[in-house]
């Protein structure tokens, strides 16, 4: 694999060694098995794989969160070295390379940017759209890979591709979990040990939701979710919503759910100081 840090080098490499199809895996580093599974999918499907590592300040609405975001480029490169091929690239740009000038673009994603994460992290998806569109322009991939753990981000990126007319397929891959069920996330390493031990309650609660849907309606389920998670000291729900996978409109009653859509239970929990998100597809029958 080759490591490049500037747009100039990236373009120089493109001129010589890029074979299509090109797969892009955008990341913010602190790589884990979830990222690795995206990279492995890209390797299976693409002749050239580009993994970008860039902690994008534009998508952090909280300065402390940006400051504390885990960074370990050396370990990331070791991990990638084990799987990437000679032809593949790791792109580790600086802020100046991604934003040579102030990026003042304002995107409009309609409802996608008005619910759940958007309410709790104002400006987050606008920042994601800025960096992802820039990475798409720079690397011009055929396929780009994202984890469905960031369910709303996947919907926003698909909308971005449509709006900007990128000829890129977005490949959304399943949540990869620790053996106890906790969804893998770079932020997991920031959890205090006592809190980490209890964090699988999030996934176990989501699984229960899926089975409860047969007998109970959504208001009762929401009460269950809150009680089951908040019975753990230091755990606080930011939101739990059941939404469709197209417009992400929260449903309040089961009879609002149509047969032509898929539905997901999406949750954000403050576990101590760390914010965790997860989701599960709701089986209706
Ligand atoms: O999911 C992430 O890690 C980030 O939001 C992304 C897509 C790399 C953009 O910074």
């Amino acid at each position: 694999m080759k490591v490049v840090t500037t747009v100039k080098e990236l373009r120089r490499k493109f001129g010589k060694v890029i074979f299509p199809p090109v797969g892009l895996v955008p990341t913010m580093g602190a790589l884990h098995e979830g990222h690795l599974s995206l990279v492995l999918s890209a390797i299976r499907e693409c002749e050239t794989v580009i993994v970008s590592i860039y902690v994008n300040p534009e998508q952090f609405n909280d300065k402390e969160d940006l400051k504390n975001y885990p960074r370990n480029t050396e370990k990331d490169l070791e991990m990638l070295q084990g799987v990437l091929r000679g032809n593949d690239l790791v792109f580790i740009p600086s802020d100046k390379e991604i934003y040579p000038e102030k990026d003042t673009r304002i995107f409009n994603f309609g409802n996608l940017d008005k619910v759940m994460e958007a309410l709790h992290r104002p400006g987050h998806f606008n920042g994601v759209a800025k960096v992802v569109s820039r990475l798409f322009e720079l690397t011009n991939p055929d396929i780009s890979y994202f984890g469905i753990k960031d369910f709303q981000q996947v919907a926003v990126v698909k909308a971005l591709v449509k709006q900007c007319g990128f000829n890129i397929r977005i490949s959304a891959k399943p949540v990869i979990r620790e053996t106890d069920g906790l969804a893998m996330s770079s932020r997991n390493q920031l959890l205090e040990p006592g809190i980490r031990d209890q964090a699988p309650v999030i996934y176990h609660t989501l699984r229960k939701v899926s089975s409860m849907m047969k007998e109970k309606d959504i208001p009762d389920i929401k009460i269950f979710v809150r009680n089951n998670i908040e019975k753990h000291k230091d755990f606080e729900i930011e939101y739990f919503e059941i939404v469709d996978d197209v417009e992400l409109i929260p449903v309040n009653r089961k009879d609002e759910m149509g047969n032509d859509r898929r539905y997901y239970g999406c949750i954000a929990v403050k576990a101590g100081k760390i914010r965790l998100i997860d989701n599960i597809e709701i089986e209706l029958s």
Side-chain angles (χ1 to χ4, degrees):
M1 75 186 194
K2 297 175 183 63
V3 180
V4 297
T5 57
T6 65
V7 170
K8 211 166 152 192
E9 273 177 285
L10 184 72
R11 296 223 160 102
R12 203 178 311 133
K13 290 271 182 276
F14 261 111
K16 289 182 192 148
V17 294
I18 290 284
F19 300 108
V22 175
L24 171 69
V25 184
T27 81
M28 297 206 298
L31 303 182
H32 50 68
E33 295 293 319
H35 295 111
L36 212 56
S37 83
L38 298 180
V39 174
L40 290 174
S41 299
I43 288 174
R44 272 195 304 274
E45 295 168 12
C46 300
E47 286 298 316
T48 308
V49 172
I50 304 173
V51 179
S52 63
I53 299 180
Y54 176 63
V55 181
N56 171 35
E58 292 281 333
Q59 70 187 73
F60 285 81
N61 57 315
D62 174 349
K63 282 203 177 84
E64 276 300 294
D65 189 24
L66 173 61
K67 200 175 105 205
N68 296 333
Y69 196 82
R71 294 161 172 90
N72 196 340
T73 312
E74 216 172 286
K75 198 161 152 249
D76 292 344
L77 288 175
E78 251 172 53
M79 207 163 167
L80 293 172
Q81 186 78 57
V83 289
L84 289 180
R85 303 153 300 185
N87 203 28
D88 298 323
L89 293 181
V90 184
F91 180 42
I92 315 183
S94 64
D95 290 340
K96 239 178 62 213
E97 296 293 325
I98 293 291
Y99 301 114
E101 278 161 32
K102 196 167 166 47
D103 187 343
T104 53
R105 287 175 297 167
I106 308 277
F107 295 83
N108 181 353
F109 297 115
N111 191 60
L112 302 184
D113 196 13
K114 291 193 178 55
V115 293
M116 302 193 293
E117 289 297 288
L119 296 178
H120 294 270
R121 304 183 71 188
H124 169 66
F125 289 120
N126 204 65
V128 169
K130 283 180 185 176
V131 75
V132 170
S133 57
R134 175 84 172 131
L135 290 168
F136 284 173
E137 278 157 16
L138 292 174
T139 61
N140 196 23
D142 299 285
I143 312 175
S144 187
Y145 295 81
F146 293 83
I148 198 102
K149 183 181 79 74
D150 295 298
F151 176 81
Q152 196 168 354
Q153 171 169 278
V154 170
V156 166
V157 170
K158 284 183 177 167
L160 174 75
V161 166
K162 253 198 206 148
Q163 272 179 30
C164 299
F166 287 117
N167 186 16
I168 300 170
R169 176 157 72 79
I170 301 304
S171 179
K173 298 292 180 194
V175 183
I176 304 295
R177 299 183 179 281
E178 302 287 355
T179 45
D180 60 9
L182 178 64
M184 288 199 183
S185 162
S186 303
R187 287 191 166 87
N188 290 356
Q189 55 182 282
L190 302 174
L191 293 167
E192 284 168 32
I195 292 181
R196 166 64 190 85
D197 289 349
Q198 295 174 33
V201 69
I202 300 169
Y203 178 54
H204 295 154
T205 305
L206 289 179
R207 287 189 56 162
K208 198 86 202 293
V209 164
S210 203
S211 58
M212 280 172 80
M213 282 296 281
K214 290 178 186 91
E215 296 125 39
K216 300 245 184 269
D217 209 341
I218 295 169
D220 285 343
I221 288 178
K222 284 192 166 182
I223 294 170
F224 162 75
V225 169
R226 185 163 293 279
N227 290 342
N228 207 46
I229 289 184
E230 293 190 348
K231 73 182 178 213
H232 293 269
K233 187 173 137 313
D234 300 320
F235 282 59
E236 198 184 326
I237 293 188
E238 276 194 359
Y239 65 80
F240 167 72
E241 298 289 358
I242 295 180
V243 299
D244 68 276
D245 69 336
V246 181
E247 291 170 273
L248 312 195
I249 296 179
V251 282
N252 297 311
R253 302 248 162 221
K254 276 201 293 196
D255 57 18
E256 294 168 17
M257 295 166 91
N259 291 329
D260 54 339
R261 297 217 164 162
R262 293 161 79 166
Y263 290 88
Y264 285 76
C266 299
I267 195 164
V269 176
K270 253 337 235 317
K273 293 199 182 101
I274 306 305
R275 200 172 174 276
L276 300 174
I277 59 172
D278 201 348
N279 65 77
I280 197 165
E281 183 167 3
I282 305 285
E283 306 291 341
L284 284 176
S285 51

